[in-house]
Amino acid sequence: YWDSCVFIAALNEERAVYGELVDDMKQFLAEAKAGECFIHCSTITIAEVLKSRLKSGQYPDFSSFLRDFRSCVVPLAPDPNIMALAAE
């Protein structure tokens, strides 16, 4: 499960803040794209990852990223059970 801040950090390669964890995030993205795993997120993430937060230019907006990773990033609608799991 990835929160908005993880997507932002990975897509912007925020090494000054997250250091080598960015490499781990990029590896997860590569593995997901290769069909080796899935990355789950809340549908709220779609609203939270604003165009203005994406600085790298790799994707113009989060919707473009989701289209590119459509089969491996799984947005879940938040319900009380999912929110409790996310809080953990």
Side-chain angles (χ1 to χ4, degrees), residues 8 27 29 32 43-44 46 48 56-58 74 87:
I8 293 167
Q27 181 178 345
L29 287 171
T43 54
I44 295 170
I46 297 166
E48 292 178 337
S56 73
Q58 183 178 5
V74 182

Side-chain angles (χ1 to χ4, degrees), residues 3-68:
D3 192 39
S4 304
C5 63
V6 181
F7 285 107
I8 293 167
L11 294 174
N12 290 336
E13 297 193 23
E14 294 180 351
R15 294 180 191 285
V17 177
Y18 297 100
E20 293 179 11
L21 288 176
V22 172
D23 296 326
D24 295 335
M25 295 172 201
K26 298 295 250 180
Q27 181 178 345
F28 270 108
L29 287 171
E31 289 172 1
K33 202 158 195 182
E36 297 172 17
C37 66
F38 293 99
I39 298 172
H40 293 86
C41 67
S42 170
T43 54
I44 295 170
T45 303
I46 297 166
E48 292 178 337
V49 181
L50 305 172
K51 279 184 181 183
S52 61
R53 304 284 309 270
L54 299 178
K55 310 274 188 221
S56 73
Q58 183 178 5
Y59 293 98
D61 52 41
F62 194 60
S63 295
S64 298
F65 166 80
L66 288 177
R67 278 192 297 278
D68 191 25

